[in-house]
Amino acid sequence: SAIRRFPDGGKAFLESFREHHRIPFELAHKHGIDCDATQAGYLHATARAGTFDELKKKSLFWRDEQGQQVEWLGASDVQAITGSTYFDHGVLYRSGGRVNPYLFTNGMVREAVKRGVQVFGETAALTLAQAGARWRVSTASGSVTADRVVFCTNAYETDVVPQFANNFYPLTAYGISTQPLSPEALAVILPGRATLSEEPVDLNPFLIDAHGRIVTSSIPSSSRPDDAAVHFANHLRWIHRTWPATRDMDIRMDRYWTGRVALRNVEFPGVFQLQPGVFGLMHFNAWGNVMAPLLGMLLAGGLARDRLDELPFPLEQPEPVGNPGKQDLIIRKLLIPAARLGQRLGII
């Protein structure tokens, strides 16, 4: 993996990850952030024995080297958590769970402001220029001069630093939430409240939040990305298959939204040093809820101590990708439609 190629074989980073892999829950608790940060577990469930064997092999690293509480579940246990007889096997990560990233981010911003941080929302950075040994970031209404500048634009690149605009694969994704479920539905669907991932192909990452709403997500159709009804129908079909009792229940969509994620050729996010004082922290490959606050903390610590040599990961130079639309073509236009057809036919 990318981490194993770090100069120390990834030892220092993996030690940090082992210590802080619960970081969103810990921060939410420490600062009293109301963001549905709930450690109800993260369950990889499957109906296939072969897939279960692969999941168990992968979990050994997290259990034996990272010290996480991992449980291998048979049919009765996984069915007790999911409320479904469709799944026969599962691997449960007890330290996982759910968090509302929007509320979590805003809560962290409020805590930073309490400590004297100045935050300027709706204020786009327009230019970056050297000001002696420092850097000046200009906006339409003013400028800020700083010793160091860190870009955290992820998939929302700008023209301010062109080197950060073409070194990742943007991919459109969507989220869906339902109206609060009835007590009858809540008793049937995922009574253990763990976050659910179906393996070997997870087309319906699935949770029930503190308000009793289903929240799920996937990759939208390239031809009709804004057609919420079509995408919700895909999920509802899967829900009815997984929990047959829901076929007579009134489950309605409430919200549908889209956004972009940033993929790299490697699993580890991009931590860049473009030149002295200019940094980038971005491209999280859907690991943002844990990796973003963790890497943000580690990079901030290194900058505050002026000891970038002590960072547990290398600082890279951004490199342009040859075909930024490649992953969108492969995943969105080929793999996802094929997987949905396979799921509908009962092949996967």
Side-chain angles (χ1 to χ4, degrees), residues 21-40:
H21 69 275
R22 300 180 182 89
I23 191 169
F25 305 110
E26 293 168 347
L27 289 172
H29 176 74
K30 177 180 179 180
H31 299 296
I33 301 172
D34 184 9
C35 59
D36 195 17
T38 305
Q39 285 186 266

Side-chain angles (χ1 to χ4, degrees), residues 47-61:
R48 298 184 178 188
T51 298
F52 184 44
D53 290 338
E54 291 299 317
L55 291 171
K56 288 190 290 184
K57 290 177 184 177
K58 292 178 181 179
S59 73
L60 291 175
F61 167 80

Side-chain angles (χ1 to χ4, degrees), residues 170-174 203 218-225 231 263 323-341:
L171 181 66
T172 300
Y174 69 78
L203 296 176
S218 191
I219 307 299
S221 161
S222 58
S223 60
R224 294 184 292 180
H231 296 101
L263 307 179
N323 181 3
K326 180 178 72 173
Q327 294 296 339
D328 185 83
L329 172 64
I330 294 173
I331 296 174
R332 188 175 173 193
K333 298 181 180 179
L334 298 176
L335 295 182
I336 293 296
R340 288 211 176 275
L341 177 60

